[in-house]
Amino acid sequence: MKSEIVHDPPGPPGAEASADTVVTELFVVHRLALVRLAFLLLGDQAIAEDVVQDAFAAVYRRWSKLADRGQVLPYLRTAVVNGCRMILRRRAIIGRFHGRPEVPFWSAEAAALLGETRRQVFLAVRALPRRQREVLVLRFYLDLSEAEIAQVMGVSRGTVKSTASRALKVLAVKLQEER
C-alpha cells in the first residue's frame, strides 16, 4: 500500500513532468486505495468515489500553485480525509433536522464479500468517534507511519499515538461484547 511514485520527467534533465502525466499516473496507481479509505470513513461507495474524484480534480486545477510537487500523494490523502469530514459534518447537520442520518445499506453481495467478521469490525470502526476512526484507517488500512498520519490529519505524533491507543481499547471491548 505504501508504494510512492517516483517521477522521472520526460525530456531533458531538470524538466518537470506535466500535471496531465503526474495526476494521471497518481490516479491509476492510487485511486482505488483512496476510494477504499473514503469508503471506510463514510460507509458509502458512491460518495467515497465523489470525494476522491474531487481531490484529484483539485490537485489538477491547482497544479501550478503546488509548492512541493513531490508531496502530491500526501496532499491527496489529506484532501480525501478532509472531504470525508465535510460529508460527515453535513450528515450530522441533516440528522439534527431530519432525524437519524441514513445508515449505509448492506447488499447481500457486499455482506458476502466482507464476511460477517469483517462486517462486525467495519461497523465497530464506523461507530468510533471521527478522529479515532481516521487514525485507525490511516494506520491499519493505508499502513501509514505515525508521522504520515500526523501530517495528513494536521495533529501531533503524540495525538496520533494516544488516539490509536484509545480507539483500539474501545474496539477490543466492543468486539468482545459481540462474541
Side-chain angles (χ1 to χ4, degrees):
M1 287 285 172
K2 291 189 84 160
S3 64
E4 299 288 330
I5 295 178
V6 177
H7 301 289
D8 294 324
E16 196 169 309
S18 72
D20 290 344
T21 303
V22 177
V23 174
T24 299
E25 184 179 344
L26 282 166
F27 185 82
V28 168
V29 174
H30 296 286
R31 178 191 58 84
L32 186 58
L34 291 171
V35 168
R36 287 180 180 154
L37 166 64
F39 176 76
L40 289 170
L41 295 175
L42 296 171
D44 185 305
Q45 181 74 23
I47 295 175
E49 290 172 357
D50 288 345
V51 168
V52 171
Q53 180 178 335
D54 290 346
F56 275 101
V59 165
Y60 186 79
R61 277 192 315 272
R62 296 182 182 112
W63 185 255
S64 64
K65 297 176 185 169
L66 292 178
D68 186 357
R69 293 188 181 149
Q71 293 295 311
V72 177
L73 183 57
Y75 173 83
L76 280 167
R77 288 180 184 137
T78 301
V80 168
V81 169
N82 287 338
C84 292
R85 288 175 180 168
M86 183 181 68
I87 299 294
L88 293 170
R89 278 193 300 270
R90 225 180 273 152
R91 283 182 183 171
I93 291 168
I94 290 170
R96 284 186 217 143
F97 294 104
H98 298 293
R100 196 157 183 247
E102 186 177 320
V103 177
F105 174 76
W106 286 96
S107 68
E109 180 182 328
L113 290 174
L114 288 177
E116 186 59 25
T117 303
R118 287 183 181 169
R119 191 179 73 78
Q120 287 174 348
V121 171
F122 175 81
L123 292 173
V125 169
R126 292 273 307 131
L128 291 171
R130 177 191 52 84
R131 181 178 280 186
Q132 290 181 4
R133 184 173 58 246
E134 289 173 0
V135 167
L136 291 185
V137 169
L138 291 167
R139 174 68 185 104
F140 294 104
Y141 181 74
L142 288 183
D143 197 29
L144 297 183
S145 68
E146 289 172 354
E148 291 169 318
I149 295 168
Q151 179 186 16
V152 167
M153 293 181 65
V155 297
S156 70
R157 287 180 68 184
T159 299
V160 170
K161 283 176 131 177
S162 63
T163 302
S165 175
R166 282 191 303 273
L168 290 172
K169 286 178 185 174
V170 169
L171 279 181
V173 169
K174 175 79 172 160
L175 293 173
Q176 195 64 26
E177 287 174 357
E178 291 181 4
R179 285 185 168 205

